[in-house]
Amino acid sequence: MTVEFEMPQTKQVVVQKFGGSSLATEELLRKVAKRVAARREQGADLVVCVSAMGDTTDELLNLAHRLSGDYSPSPRETDALISTGELVSASLMGIAIRGLGHDAISLSGRQAGIQTDETFGSARIANIEPARVLREIKRGRIVVIAGFQGLTPADDTTTLGRGASDLTAVAIAASIEADVCEIYTDVDGILTADPRLVPDARVIPQIGYEEMLEMASLGAKMNPRSIEMASVHKVPMLITSSFNPHAAGTKIGNLEDQNSNMEIRKSITSIATERSVARVTLHGIADRPGIAAAIMMPLAEAGISIDVIVQNVSSHGLTDMSFTVGQEYLQRVAEITSQNTEVGYSDIATRDGLAKVSVVGTGMTNSPGYAARMFRALADANVNIEMITTSEIRITCIVDQEHVATAARALHSEFELEAD
Amino acid sequence: MTVEFEMPQTKQVVVQKFGGSSLATEELLRKVAKRVAARREQGADLVVCVSAMGDTTDELLNLAHRLSGDYSPSPRETDALISTGELVSASLMGIAIRGLGHDAISLSGRQAGIQTDETFGSARIANIEPARVLREIKRGRIVVIAGFQGLTPADDTTTLGRGASDLTAVAIAASIEADVCEIYTDVDGILTADPRLVPDARVIPQIGYEEMLEMASLGAKMNPRSIEMASVHKVPMLITSSFNPHAAGTKIGNLEDQNSNMEIRKSITSIATERSVARVTLHGIADRPGIAAAIMMPLAEAGISIDVIVQNVSSHGLTDMSFTVGQEYLQRVAEITSQNTEVGYSDIATRDGLAKVSVVGTGMTNSPGYAARMFRALADANVNIEMITTSEIRITCIVDQEHVATAARALHSEFELEAD
């Protein structure tokens, strides 16, 4: 009598995502294919999500705008158009991997089971039906998925918004319960600061989802929605270099579990910076419920994101409110706000040429001294603070754009981020 | 009491197909959109099938071959890749038509309900599910369909073979019972002869499906499968110019009905020519059942189409067989045939530098004098005939390539095709 054993499944399931700059040319695409094949040869089950090659998406968008005359191109047609960029890179990647002797299959977002709502241009993923992806993995194939796209219930192709191939990768990783979702970029990982401002900046070895979320919305090049999704579904991530195979990268995950019994040695993870910030201040507005909404709603409707908002204490029923926007929106914000008949104010003042500098780290919550250290370090460096805002894991100062490098360097040094 | 009348549906339903050369540039695409819009303004319900822009398909194929190394690119992946060319032109056409103020929607082959078998690279249409196309027409939209592609039962994208956007157009026209399927090309219609050989060549105003089929396989630039499908489903077609709006074009349809009670005035429709033909002759082969199949099977398996086949009367149980192939296949045919151990022969002879010239017309069937007139006209023009083959509506002679223009002109004149 023969007894057959089923070997326990120990193979690692890895989702890898390569962005447009990693696939900008035929030669780069070939390099990525080799890298995928090498990983395969180490034994992992692989799903590879790809963006469109280089500037394909922008070129298609420009063409659409030129052809649509006085109208804006229909969002549905625009999505049908630009989603082809990822189809091209996915099938080419499938062909290149097969050319290296490995079985591979490319799938569109639809074929990979990515179901979205009908918000063309920035659709939300409603559900993932991973049956086909799992079937192809089981067949021993490397599955290459066109990122950035999905399908509506009405059978139309959507795109998920700029930079959302990351989101495809994380969503697929969550749906197939992958061991890790690796995001390959043109940097070695998430840095402690912008290296153009702070020469000492170094790669952060690991970071929690929440800290990463603060940094993603503060200018680090990661799609915040993908971090959110990874956090909700507890998908471990690795951000690393597509060009440098020796980069260790940055692990993103739930650090609480690992660190719960350990002293958190370093509470500040990084210094985030953002240039080209402008401020709008409304003086003498009525301090009544709903006034903030009345100011913000018309801006939201115009698609303008407000960032830092500061409202001073009221005196005599009147108050001042300041908020920041990307510098490019300043004129439009001033126009919209001055035409806003719902809001009375005595004066409107604008200022551009500002920048944002933040210290980010989970350890801050329980250690009140960080804000004081930050303000002191900026003062010692002769950097004047224009506005301040804080969250549980972040302290942000608005400063003059000319001082942003000085500020970042001072803070990087103050919190000893250059040390390994 | 109010009585509501439903107006009888008198709107014409038109399917238009524009090929890659009509869409080669942004400017040409814009022109086609204007032409579609103008037709719409005349009141027709429109479905527009488009090919990929210019040389897109070839460029993608070249890229695939370069990336696949020593392997051939997988047909499935190749189809996933090259089908994007039509998705791009369809969505751009949708955007351009909307830019002219008309409602339009682009559909992929899949969304248009085109279901195929799994023969990647040259799939056959199995079925068309036109529900969505009909729904969008009913909504008052111009429906733009990506030609050349469909979907397998296993949910994979296929392509229908080179030049098969015509086939998409005819199949859609059949499925929605369109009044006419218009094929826009870079010529004014189907000509009585190749104008490079016969300066007097003119556009044929109308022609039957069968004659057109003979001409399509004899070098006129129409996909023969699309003519076959139009013939089976009785789809009236118009072949006309995408550049010259004044071209009347060639109508293709069932002429029998119209002509059944009329004398057929002109029995010869056109002179078809094909250059670059080569001949292979096997001398002294056994005249036994199955010998032709034994010769042809290995060639079919190598994907080589045999054209004219002539077998002489047997003497002493041995016979000679000649057949023609495209000149580019000659060497390969000679190799395959000389390695064919199933076929014994005393000698193999090859000759290239030949051409094919045919007279085509339905009237011939009942009028035996045409072959004689053809041979006489060629003799008078000092053109030697190498081989002869006939069908019900065609007589073909193989002649020396140097004489093809002389032969075509002589026959064009003999059968009075230059007269209107």
Side-chain angles (χ1 to χ4, degrees):
Chain A
M1 188 179 144
T2 316
V3 180
E4 285 184 23
F5 288 94
E6 197 171 327
M7 288 295 287
Q9 175 72 12
T10 55
K11 221 178 206 181
Q12 219 195 359
V13 180
V14 177
V15 175
Q16 301 188 314
K17 182 258 167 179
F18 293 91
S21 62
S22 308
L23 303 167
T25 66
E26 190 179 331
E27 204 37 52
L28 285 172
L29 195 144
R30 206 187 302 270
K31 270 190 189 164
V32 168
K34 278 183 187 157
R35 187 137 188 204
V36 170
R39 181 64 168 265
R40 173 67 173 188
E41 283 151 22
Q42 291 164 16
D45 279 338
L46 288 179
V47 174
V48 180
C49 291
V50 291
S51 301
M53 294 173 77
D55 298 325
T56 309
T57 308
D58 285 331
E59 285 162 14
L60 290 172
L61 279 175
N62 289 340
L63 190 48
H65 276 278
R66 289 200 300 273
L67 282 170
S68 64
D70 297 337
Y71 296 77
S72 276
S74 133
R76 182 203 176 271
E77 296 303 322
T78 303
D79 277 5
L81 176 67
I82 62 178
S83 59
T84 61
E86 278 74 17
L87 294 178
V88 168
S89 51
S91 48
L92 287 176
M93 183 58 69
I95 286 167
I97 294 171
R98 293 176 68 100
L100 298 168
H102 291 276
D103 197 2
I105 186 165
S106 73
L107 299 177
S108 65
R110 180 186 68 77
Q111 289 172 324
I114 298 173
Q115 302 166 355
T116 76
D117 66 13
E118 307 221 321
T119 319
F120 294 104
S122 57
R124 296 255 153 193
I125 297 178
N127 186 35
I128 295 203
E129 195 48 77
R132 175 135 196 206
V133 173
L134 291 170
R135 201 164 65 236
E136 302 291 354
I137 291 174
K138 211 170 177 182
R139 281 187 187 162
R141 291 173 163 170
I142 297 171
V143 182
V144 184
I145 297 177
F148 179 59
Q149 58 185 260
L151 195 76
T152 70
D155 199 33
D156 286 325
T157 300
T158 47
T159 65
L160 310 176
R162 293 315 291 259
S165 289
D166 291 355
L167 192 64
T168 302
V170 174
I172 290 286
S175 75
I176 64 171
E177 297 179 4
D179 294 293
V180 61
C181 178
E182 302 176 345
I183 308 286
Y184 289 84
T185 72
D186 48 8
V187 292
D188 282 359
I190 304 297
L191 299 178
T192 53
D194 182 340
R196 290 167 301 183
L197 303 182
V198 183
D200 285 342
R202 58 176 188 83
V203 171
I204 305 170
Q206 56 181 14
I207 189 172
Y209 295 116
E210 291 202 352
E211 284 168 290
M212 187 61 212
L213 255 180
E214 288 287 2
M215 292 170 60
S217 55
L218 287 172
K221 277 207 291 179
M222 280 291 304
N223 183 307
R225 287 161 64 198
S226 63
I227 308 289
E228 266 172 35
M229 185 176 281
S231 167
V232 170
H233 296 277
K234 307 211 183 311
V235 178
M237 295 180 74
L238 175 72
I239 316 297
T240 190
S241 166
S242 47
F243 302 115
N244 173 9
H246 305 295
T250 300
K251 287 181 191 161
I252 311 179
N254 241 326
L255 300 186
E256 282 168 33
D257 307 338
Q258 307 161 33
N259 294 341
S260 54
N261 292 322
M262 299 166 63
E263 188 193 1
I264 298 170
R265 198 181 56 85
K266 199 169 275 177
S267 305
I268 301 296
T269 322
S270 61
I271 309 303
T273 44
E274 193 178 325
R275 290 198 254 200
S276 304
V277 172
R279 181 182 61 191
V280 177
T281 305
L282 298 178
H283 294 289
I285 54 174
D287 187 14
R288 58 170 170 82
I291 188 71
I295 295 170
M296 297 307 158
M297 280 304 293
L299 300 175
E301 281 162 14
I304 297 169
S305 288
I306 304 306
D307 193 2
V308 177
I309 303 175
V310 173
Q311 186 176 339
N312 287 352
V313 175
S314 169
S315 80
H316 306 295
L318 293 177
T319 187
D320 298 343
M321 181 184 282
S322 291
F323 53 88
T324 63
V325 294
Q327 198 155 287
E328 66 273 29
Y329 297 115
L330 180 58
Q331 200 187 336
R332 188 119 176 70
V333 168
E335 278 168 24
I336 291 172
T337 305
S338 62
Q339 287 159 15
N340 187 340
T341 52
E342 268 194 82
V343 182
Y345 55 86
S346 61
D347 187 31
I348 181 168
T350 61
R351 161 131 192 236
D352 60 4
L354 295 172
K356 215 163 101 179
V357 57
S358 308
V359 298
V360 179
T362 42
M364 280 193 280
T365 348
N366 308 313
S367 313
Y370 285 100
R373 275 175 72 187
M374 180 180 189
F375 303 151
R376 166 58 47 208
L378 292 178
D380 286 348
N382 276 321
V383 175
N384 192 38
I385 302 171
E386 300 278 336
M387 290 165 85
I388 298 169
T389 173
T390 62
S391 80
E392 291 205 353
I393 60 169
R394 172 176 57 82
I395 309 168
T396 297
C397 293
I398 301 294
V399 301
D400 195 292
Q401 211 171 88
E402 283 179 16
H403 298 145
V404 66
T406 310
R409 277 195 293 268
L411 296 172
H412 202 261
S413 163
E414 170 66 27
F415 294 106
E416 296 169 18
L417 295 180
E418 74 282 1
D420 211 8
Chain B
M1 188 181 144
T2 316
V3 180
E4 284 183 24
F5 288 95
E6 198 172 326
M7 288 295 287
Q9 177 70 13
T10 55
K11 223 179 203 180
Q12 220 196 357
V13 180
V14 177
V15 175
Q16 302 188 313
K17 181 258 168 180
F18 294 91
S21 61
S22 308
L23 303 167
T25 65
E26 191 179 331
E27 205 36 54
L28 285 171
L29 195 145
R30 207 187 301 271
K31 270 190 189 164
V32 167
K34 278 184 188 158
R35 187 139 188 203
V36 170
R39 182 62 168 266
R40 173 67 173 188
E41 284 152 21
Q42 290 164 16
D45 279 338
L46 288 180
V47 174
V48 180
C49 291
V50 292
S51 301
M53 292 173 78
D55 298 325
T56 309
T57 308
D58 285 331
E59 285 162 14
L60 290 172
L61 279 174
N62 290 339
L63 190 50
H65 277 278
R66 289 200 301 272
L67 282 171
S68 64
D70 296 338
Y71 295 77
S72 277
S74 135
R76 182 204 176 272
E77 296 303 323
T78 304
D79 276 6
L81 177 66
I82 61 176
S83 59
T84 61
E86 278 73 17
L87 294 179
V88 168
S89 50
S91 48
L92 287 176
M93 183 59 68
I95 287 167
I97 293 171
R98 292 175 69 99
L100 297 168
H102 291 276
D103 197 2
I105 185 165
S106 73
L107 299 178
S108 65
R110 181 186 68 76
Q111 289 172 322
I114 298 173
Q115 302 165 355
T116 75
D117 65 13
E118 306 221 324
T119 320
F120 293 105
S122 57
R124 296 255 153 193
I125 296 177
N127 186 34
I128 296 204
E129 196 47 75
R132 176 139 195 202
V133 174
L134 291 169
R135 200 164 65 235
E136 301 293 353
I137 291 174
K138 212 170 176 183
R139 282 187 187 162
R141 290 173 164 170
I142 298 171
V143 182
V144 185
I145 297 176
F148 178 61
Q149 59 185 260
L151 195 76
T152 70
D155 199 32
D156 287 325
T157 300
T158 47
T159 66
L160 310 176
R162 294 314 292 256
S165 289
D166 291 356
L167 192 64
T168 303
V170 173
I172 290 285
S175 75
I176 64 172
E177 298 179 3
D179 294 293
V180 61
C181 177
E182 302 176 345
I183 308 287
Y184 290 83
T185 74
D186 48 9
V187 292
D188 282 0
I190 304 297
L191 300 178
T192 53
D194 182 339
R196 289 167 301 182
L197 303 182
V198 184
D200 285 342
R202 58 177 186 81
V203 171
I204 305 170
Q206 56 181 13
I207 189 171
Y209 296 116
E210 291 203 349
E211 285 169 288
M212 188 60 212
L213 255 180
E214 287 286 2
M215 291 170 62
S217 54
L218 288 171
K221 277 207 290 179
M222 279 293 303
N223 183 307
R225 287 162 66 199
S226 63
I227 308 288
E228 265 172 37
M229 185 176 281
S231 167
V232 169
H233 295 278
K234 307 214 182 311
V235 177
M237 295 180 75
L238 175 73
I239 316 297
T240 190
S241 165
S242 48
F243 302 115
N244 173 10
H246 305 296
T250 300
K251 287 180 190 161
I252 312 179
N254 240 326
L255 299 186
E256 282 168 31
D257 306 337
Q258 306 161 33
N259 293 341
S260 54
N261 291 323
M262 297 166 64
E263 188 192 2
I264 298 171
R265 199 181 57 85
K266 199 168 274 177
S267 306
I268 302 295
T269 323
S270 60
I271 310 302
T273 46
E274 193 178 326
R275 291 198 254 201
S276 304
V277 172
R279 181 182 60 191
V280 177
T281 304
L282 298 178
H283 294 288
I285 55 174
D287 187 13
R288 58 170 169 82
I291 188 73
I295 295 170
M296 297 307 157
M297 279 304 292
L299 300 175
E301 280 161 15
I304 297 170
S305 288
I306 306 305
D307 194 2
V308 176
I309 303 174
V310 173
Q311 185 176 341
N312 287 352
V313 175
S314 169
S315 79
H316 307 295
L318 293 178
T319 186
D320 298 343
M321 182 183 284
S322 292
F323 53 87
T324 64
V325 293
Q327 198 157 285
E328 66 274 29
Y329 297 115
L330 181 57
Q331 200 185 334
R332 187 116 179 70
V333 167
E335 277 168 27
I336 290 171
T337 305
S338 61
Q339 288 159 14
N340 188 340
T341 51
E342 267 194 80
V343 181
Y345 54 88
S346 61
D347 188 30
I348 180 169
T350 61
R351 160 128 195 240
D352 59 5
L354 296 172
K356 215 162 102 178
V357 58
S358 307
V359 297
V360 179
T362 42
M364 281 193 282
T365 349
N366 307 314
S367 313
Y370 285 101
R373 275 175 73 186
M374 180 181 189
F375 303 152
R376 168 57 48 209
L378 292 178
D380 287 348
N382 276 322
V383 175
N384 191 39
I385 301 171
E386 300 278 336
M387 290 166 84
I388 298 170
T389 173
T390 61
S391 81
E392 290 205 352
I393 61 169
R394 174 176 55 84
I395 308 168
T396 297
C397 293
I398 301 294
V399 302
D400 195 293
Q401 210 171 90
E402 284 179 17
H403 298 145
V404 65
T406 311
R409 277 196 293 268
L411 296 171
H412 201 261
S413 163
E414 170 68 24
F415 295 106
E416 296 169 20
L417 296 179
E418 74 283 1
D420 212 7

